[in-house]
């Protein structure tokens, strides 16, 4: 089943939900209006539909291989990556001064979605490179930016994030890799890093590893971690490639999904390179502030992984719709002369509507968050920038955690729509299900996102940002309830009820956080799920209001606009009620969660 980028829905969401006109009014983005967005998305869609998507199945069947420290990616990946970078897609949102296009994050976001829909394994390489660029833009020296960023934007070099070690999964306080200072100001890096996405490959001439390690005498725990640039090939003062550094790929993992993406085990300091023992590294910023800097990269990656969830859900939905239109089986339950396409059956329609509504809701929330990021960085008023940045930070764990959990449900429904054929690899539905399963794990599990949402984003400020967002939700609910269309009115009533339930959860978390930490964190994932449902329902409600207003335009695409309203209505009636159940779990706390003695398990 071929992939077709949903550019019409993307452009509608950009303009009427995320507020692209307000972004285009910012001083840095005067040329980034809807016409620019349409042109960018059209070209991006062409590349991903015609080049990247056609390699998706090949990558699953013929994944990357390792031989004598050299990783060979799936046939066609290297050529596709060159086309991707030559088209400027690695630099869509990065500064013009380093070779980027300097467009808003809001326009870059559907581009990120498209490449991930087309080929999740392929897209991980530019995703990690984006994160490395963001980290160096934030914390790198002028010389480091000049030396490394243009080549990463141009695609001749790629970037990685090296956090995890065998004994240190999500707990980075356990990192043991060491960095020994040298007389010339460089460091020698020793240690082992695991789960390094595109840690070794043949798609670019150099790989820029961003590595967490400890310097001698560093404080214990996370306060003693520093960040280093460790290139695969050492770079001279003029930016030319020098000798092979002492970092090597020991193995690549055999995985459930995203098989074409090489997930490497990297060894630093095994004296295999041409530079002597210890990989040559360059300190980023100050010693012992590495985790702070790495969080810039992690935050970028977490948002992008949330977009992977949206992207994979979109691909699984398209695949399921295509099958449901073609598969003929059983008579219509209301009677028919013979078997009908299964898309006529009510429960198949329910599954497809669930897939569609979840995907569109998550897309709308993510694009809205991207707009907040642009406003937070480029707005003209400092107080407003702080407010928008805080709202964006609040939404990131929801975009990451909820959208990726959603993608597993959507991919699973895609298998179900295919019936028994969905369990057969040849139909392709199973690959989306397998690929989706990693999204809730890497770049911070759902629980880590939920703990962040509970602790740093809700309890720390007494729920202030959450309540500001909920005030906007209530405004939308009131506008829906006051609309003359009964469908919108019903959406408004349900949204107002769900918002009240989420506010009660915010109150409960703030009240219990210090008194009973287990109770608060035991309810963290239900709280994240409740927030995801309510806030996606909010964005779909806003989309329905915009669609209703546009129906008055005589040249409007009425079918598309009516579908937006119907999707919002389905979400409100069939999915938003789930939020109440999550709210009950939050209110119940973690008493029963922690009730059993460990020996009882």
């Amino acid at each position: 089943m071929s992939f077709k980028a949903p550019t019409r829905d993307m452009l509608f969401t950009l303009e009427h939900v995320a507020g692209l006109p307000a972004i285009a009014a910012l001083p840095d983005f005067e040329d980034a209006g809807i016409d620019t967005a349409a042109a960018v998305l059209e070209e991006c869609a062409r590349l991903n539909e015609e080049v990247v998507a056609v390699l998706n199945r090949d990558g699953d069947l013929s994944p990357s291989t390792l031989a004598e420290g050299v990783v060979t990616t799936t046939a066609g990946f290297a050529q596709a990556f060159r086309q991707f970078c030559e088209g400027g897609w690695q630099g869509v949102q990065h500064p013009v001064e380093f070779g980027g296009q300097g467009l808003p994050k809001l326009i870059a976001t559907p581009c990120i979605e498209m490449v991930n829909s087309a080929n999740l394994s392929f897209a991980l390489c530019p995703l990690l490179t984006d994160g490395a660029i963001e980290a160096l833009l934030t914390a790198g020296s002028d010389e480091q930016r000049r030396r490394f960023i243009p080549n990463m934007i141009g695609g001749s070099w790629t970037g990685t994030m090296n956090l995890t070690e065998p004994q240190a999964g999500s707990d980075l306080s356990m990192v043991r890799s060491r960095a020994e200072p040298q007389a010339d100001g460089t460091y020698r890096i020793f240690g082992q890093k695991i789960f390094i996405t595109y840690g070794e490959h043949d798609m670019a001439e150099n790989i820029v590893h961003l590595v967490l390690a400890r310097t001698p005498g560093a404080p214990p725990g996370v306060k003693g971690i520093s960040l280093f640039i460790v290139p695969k090939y050492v770079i001279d003062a003029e930016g030319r490639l020098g000798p092979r550094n002492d970092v090597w790929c020991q193995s690549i993992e055999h995985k459930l999904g995203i098989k074409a993406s090489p997930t490497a085990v990297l060894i630093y300091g095994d004296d295999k390179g041409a530079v002597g023992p210890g990989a040559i590294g360059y300190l980023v910023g100050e010693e012992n502030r590495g985790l702070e800097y790495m969080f810039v990269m992690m935050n970028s990656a977490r948002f992008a992984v949330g977009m992977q969830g949206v992207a994979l859900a979109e691909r699984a939905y398209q695949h399921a719709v295509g099958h449901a239109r073609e598969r003929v089986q059983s008579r219509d339950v209301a009677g028919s002369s013979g078997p009908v396409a299964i898309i006529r059956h009510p429960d198949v329609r329910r599954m497809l509507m669930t897939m569609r509504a979840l995907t569109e809701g998550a897309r709308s929330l993510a694009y809205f968050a991207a707009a907040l990021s642009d406003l937070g960085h480029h707005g003209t008023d400092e107080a407003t920038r702080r407010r928008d940045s805080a709202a964006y930070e609040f939404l990131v764990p929801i975009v990451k955690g909820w959208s990726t959990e959603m993608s597993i449900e959507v991919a699973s429904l895609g298998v179900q729509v295919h019936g028994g054929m969905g369990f057969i690899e040849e139909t392709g539905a199973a690959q989306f299900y397998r690929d989706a399963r990693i999204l809730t794990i890497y770049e911070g599990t759902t629980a880590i996102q939920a703990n962040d949402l509970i602790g740093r984003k809700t309890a720390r400020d007494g729920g202030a940002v959450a309540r500001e967002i909920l005030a906007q939700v209530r405004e939308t609910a009131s506008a829906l309830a006051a609309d003359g269309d009964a469908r919108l009115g019903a959406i408004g009533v349900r949204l107002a009820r769900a918002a009240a339930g989420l506010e009660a959860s915010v109150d409960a978390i703030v009240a219990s956080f210090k008194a009973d930490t287990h109770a608060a964190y035991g309810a963290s994932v239900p709280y994240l799920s409740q927030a995801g449902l309510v806030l996606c329902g909010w964005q779909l409600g806003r989309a329905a209001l915009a669609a209703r207003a546009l129906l008055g335009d005589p040249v409007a695409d009425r079918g598309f606009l009516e579908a937006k309203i119907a999707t919002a209505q389905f979400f409100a009636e069939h999915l938003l009620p789930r939020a109440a159940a999550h709210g009950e779990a939050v209110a119940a706390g973690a008493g029963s969660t922690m009730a059993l003695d460990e020996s009882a398990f």
Side-chain angles (χ1 to χ4, degrees):
M1 190 72 65
S2 60
F3 166 64
K4 179 70 175 175
T7 53
R8 183 167 57 171
D9 192 68
M10 289 172 164
L11 288 167
F12 175 89
T13 304
L14 289 176
E15 184 173 13
H16 300 292
V17 181
L20 181 60
I23 305 303
L26 296 173
D28 297 323
F29 299 135
E30 295 92 340
D31 298 325
I34 193 64
D35 291 339
T36 296
V40 169
L41 266 60
E42 180 182 359
E43 287 303 312
C44 190
R46 181 177 296 112
L47 174 71
N48 284 294
E49 290 170 359
E50 298 176 1
V51 177
V52 181
V54 297
L55 297 170
N56 188 52
R57 184 67 174 158
D58 293 343
D60 193 55
L61 296 174
S62 302
S64 299
T65 58
L66 172 69
E68 298 181 354
V70 176
V71 169
T72 302
T73 54
T74 301
F77 269 44
Q79 294 81 356
F81 187 67
R82 280 199 294 273
Q83 288 183 254
F84 179 87
C85 294
E86 287 169 359
W89 301 111
Q90 186 70 73
V92 172
Q93 62 183 315
H94 298 310
V96 174
E97 65 181 293
F98 296 114
Q101 298 186 42
L103 289 171
K105 185 181 183 75
L106 180 55
I107 292 181
T109 296
C111 297
I112 294 169
E113 180 186 337
M114 275 189 255
V115 68
N116 281 285
S117 275
N119 191 326
L120 193 64
S121 288
F122 175 90
L124 280 162
C125 186
L127 184 156
L128 270 299
T129 303
D130 272 338
I133 292 169
E134 292 284 351
L136 293 180
L137 285 171
T138 300
S141 67
D142 289 341
E143 191 274 336
Q144 287 171 345
R145 294 173 190 166
R146 177 190 62 79
R147 183 181 292 192
F148 292 99
I149 292 177
N151 284 303
M152 287 196 283
I153 289 176
S156 57
W157 303 353
T158 62
T160 72
M161 178 165 51
N162 283 227
L163 291 79
T164 308
E165 298 177 7
Q167 80 292 340
S170 299
D171 184 2
L172 297 178
S173 67
M174 301 292 290
V175 164
R176 294 176 186 164
S177 292
R178 68 185 196 277
E180 298 179 357
Q182 307 296 300
D184 62 359
T186 64
Y187 291 75
R188 290 284 182 159
I189 312 299
F190 299 85
Q192 182 185 48
K193 296 290 183 177
I194 64 172
F195 299 153
I196 310 305
T197 303
Y198 279 94
E200 176 63 27
H201 62 83
D202 60 355
M203 289 162 52
E205 64 183 14
N206 203 13
I207 304 172
V208 180
H209 303 294
L210 292 189
V211 184
L212 291 182
R214 296 184 183 280
T215 55
V222 296
K223 294 182 179 180
I225 298 175
S226 300
L227 181 62
F228 300 88
I229 301 169
V230 185
K232 176 180 175 180
Y233 290 96
V234 178
I235 313 301
D236 68 18
E238 302 303 318
R240 295 185 295 261
L241 294 185
R244 176 66 189 261
N245 212 347
D246 193 14
V247 51
W248 295 88
C249 179
Q250 183 184 63
S251 62
I252 57 175
E253 307 295 351
H254 301 92
K255 299 170 295 187
L256 175 69
I258 56 167
K259 293 183 177 182
S261 163
T263 302
V265 175
L266 296 182
I267 305 297
Y268 291 83
D270 209 23
D271 197 13
K272 290 184 179 179
V275 298
I280 295 174
Y282 311 94
L283 179 68
V284 177
E286 302 174 14
E287 285 190 9
N288 303 325
R289 296 182 65 186
L291 195 58
E292 173 189 340
Y293 303 145
M294 187 63 88
F295 261 111
V296 174
M297 188 174 185
M298 290 170 67
N299 226 29
S300 172
R302 285 174 175 179
F303 179 86
V305 173
M307 289 313 306
Q308 288 185 318
V310 178
L312 193 141
E314 172 66 34
R315 189 73 187 272
Y317 167 69
Q318 289 190 20
H319 206 76
V321 169
H323 178 78
R325 292 186 188 281
E326 296 173 358
R327 176 65 167 166
V328 175
Q329 184 172 312
S330 303
R331 286 176 167 77
D332 191 307
V333 293
S336 62
S337 59
V340 297
I342 64 171
I343 200 168
R344 293 271 300 274
H345 299 315
D347 193 62
V348 172
R349 196 69 68 87
R350 176 194 63 81
M351 290 189 284
L352 294 176
M353 283 300 296
T354 299
M355 298 171 77
R356 178 191 183 105
L358 287 171
T359 303
E360 290 190 12
R363 174 181 295 126
S364 297
L365 183 62
Y367 287 18
F368 180 80
L372 288 173
S373 177
D374 287 327
L375 292 166
H377 282 93
H378 301 276
T380 56
D381 176 69
E382 183 178 351
T384 304
R385 284 200 307 271
R386 285 199 303 268
R387 181 200 66 197
D388 291 334
S389 292
Y392 171 73
E393 294 296 327
F394 181 87
L395 292 178
V396 166
I398 301 171
V399 169
K400 197 285 183 185
W402 192 83
S403 298
T404 56
E405 291 285 352
M406 174 276 297
S407 72
I408 296 174
E409 178 179 356
V410 170
S412 178
L413 285 171
V415 173
Q416 190 74 12
V417 168
H418 282 74
M421 296 303 295
F423 204 67
I424 304 301
E425 288 287 355
E426 284 75 9
T427 64
Q431 182 186 347
F432 304 130
Y433 189 39
R434 289 186 286 101
D435 284 354
R437 198 59 196 85
I438 187 59
L439 301 181
T440 61
I441 298 172
Y442 61 27
E443 303 306 335
T445 63
T446 304
I448 288 174
Q449 308 306 317
N451 288 352
D452 179 41
L453 183 64
I454 285 266
R456 294 186 183 93
K457 309 296 169 60
T458 300
R460 179 176 290 181
D461 69 355
V465 172
R467 292 190 180 95
E468 287 181 8
I469 292 173
L470 281 166
Q472 298 176 58
V473 178
R474 285 194 294 271
E475 288 179 8
T476 300
S478 296
L480 287 161
D483 192 274
D485 189 311
R487 296 171 298 173
L488 271 64
I491 294 171
V493 171
R494 292 177 182 276
L495 181 59
R497 187 185 306 140
L502 181 56
E503 185 151 26
S505 292
V506 171
D507 293 340
I509 287 162
V510 171
S512 68
F513 188 77
K514 291 183 178 179
D516 189 348
T517 305
H518 276 156
Y521 282 113
S524 63
V525 171
Y527 173 57
L528 182 146
S529 300
Q530 183 185 16
L533 286 161
V534 174
L535 298 182
C536 286
W538 169 39
Q539 296 304 319
L540 288 178
R542 295 179 65 236
L545 284 167
R548 173 89 158 86
L550 290 169
L551 282 171
D553 186 339
V555 298
D557 184 342
R558 297 187 64 85
F560 173 78
L561 297 173
E562 289 288 356
K564 295 301 294 183
I565 295 172
T567 301
Q569 183 181 9
F570 178 88
F571 191 100
E573 293 176 354
H574 292 269
L575 300 175
L576 196 54
R578 297 180 184 181
H582 291 302
E584 288 190 16
V586 173
S592 58
T593 302
M594 306 299 292
L596 288 183
D597 185 82
E598 292 178 16
S599 63
F601 287 94

